[in-house]
């Protein structure tokens, strides 16, 4: 009987059913986006990841959504696009039906960026946002 149960995740105390697993698609899209960003095409790279993020979020795939959120903020950080980094953190954490565990993973990753920020104002801006 137990073998017929769907996989479940918990997010903020609520149980969430995983509709579809996107891990293979995430591997592919993250690699493509990293390549685009390396070729000075950061907006296209972010758009690619944001489209997949919507699918993973709506499909309740916490692991894939977490990976995508981290990939998005890493691309902004690596490009030293501080305003874009802050914009995407704000956008992603405030999305409708955003998975709390995924946001927590993204925020933890962003805390690792603080010591590498170029100046005090940029650091404070990121800290206030987090």
């Amino acid at each position: 009987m137990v073998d017929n149960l769907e996989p479940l995740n918990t997010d903020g105390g609520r149980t969430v059913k995983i509709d579809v697993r996107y891990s293979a698609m995430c591997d592919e899209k993250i690699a493509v986006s990293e390549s685009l960003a390396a070729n000075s095409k950061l907006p296209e790279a972010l758009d690619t990841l944001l489209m997949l993020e919507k699918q993973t979020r709506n499909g309740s795939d916490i692991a894939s959504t977490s990976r995508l959120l981290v990939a998005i903020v890493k691309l902004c950080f690596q490009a030293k696009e501080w305003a874009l980094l802050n914009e995407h953190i704000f956008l992603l954490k405030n999305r409708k039906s955003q998975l709390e565990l995924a946001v927590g993973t993204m925020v933890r990753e962003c805390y690792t960026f603080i010591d590498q920020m170029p100046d005090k104002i940029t650091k404070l801006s990121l800290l206030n946002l987090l």
Side-chain angles (χ1 to χ4, degrees):
M1 270 190 222
V2 177
D3 296 336
N4 295 334
L5 294 177
E6 298 284 330
L8 298 174
N9 280 335
T10 57
D11 182 45
R14 62 187 171 135
T15 303
V16 180
K17 178 181 166 190
I18 299 176
D19 295 328
V20 180
R21 296 201 185 266
Y22 291 93
S23 59
M25 196 178 302
C26 283
D27 293 339
E28 176 188 329
K29 296 294 184 182
I30 290 172
V32 167
S33 295
E34 288 172 347
S35 175
L36 285 169
N39 291 319
S40 302
K41 296 181 181 178
L42 183 60
E44 292 91 340
L46 294 174
D47 286 344
T48 299
L49 295 177
L50 288 168
M51 285 189 292
L52 183 56
E53 181 273 336
K54 181 177 181 180
Q55 292 176 338
T56 62
R57 177 172 32 95
N58 290 334
S60 301
D61 187 345
I62 294 173
S64 295
T65 304
S66 298
R67 287 182 56 207
L68 290 168
L69 297 183
V70 167
I72 290 167
V73 295
K74 275 187 176 181
L75 289 177
C76 293
F77 176 76
Q78 290 167 348
K80 299 183 189 311
E81 293 286 344
W82 312 124
L84 196 59
L85 172 64
N86 289 345
E87 180 183 323
H88 277 83
I89 292 169
F90 183 80
L91 168 89
L92 293 167
K93 74 180 182 84
N94 290 317
R95 284 212 161 158
K96 183 178 176 182
S97 304
Q98 188 58 276
L99 304 168
E100 291 177 24
L101 291 174
V103 171
T105 302
M106 176 187 70
V107 168
R108 279 190 298 281
E109 181 66 27
C110 290
Y111 273 110
T112 67
F113 300 158
I114 293 171
D115 290 335
Q116 301 171 48
M117 292 297 202
D119 55 52
K120 188 174 183 176
I121 293 172
T122 309
K123 283 182 187 182
L124 290 175
S125 176
L126 179 60
L127 280 170
N128 285 333
L129 184 60
L130 296 176

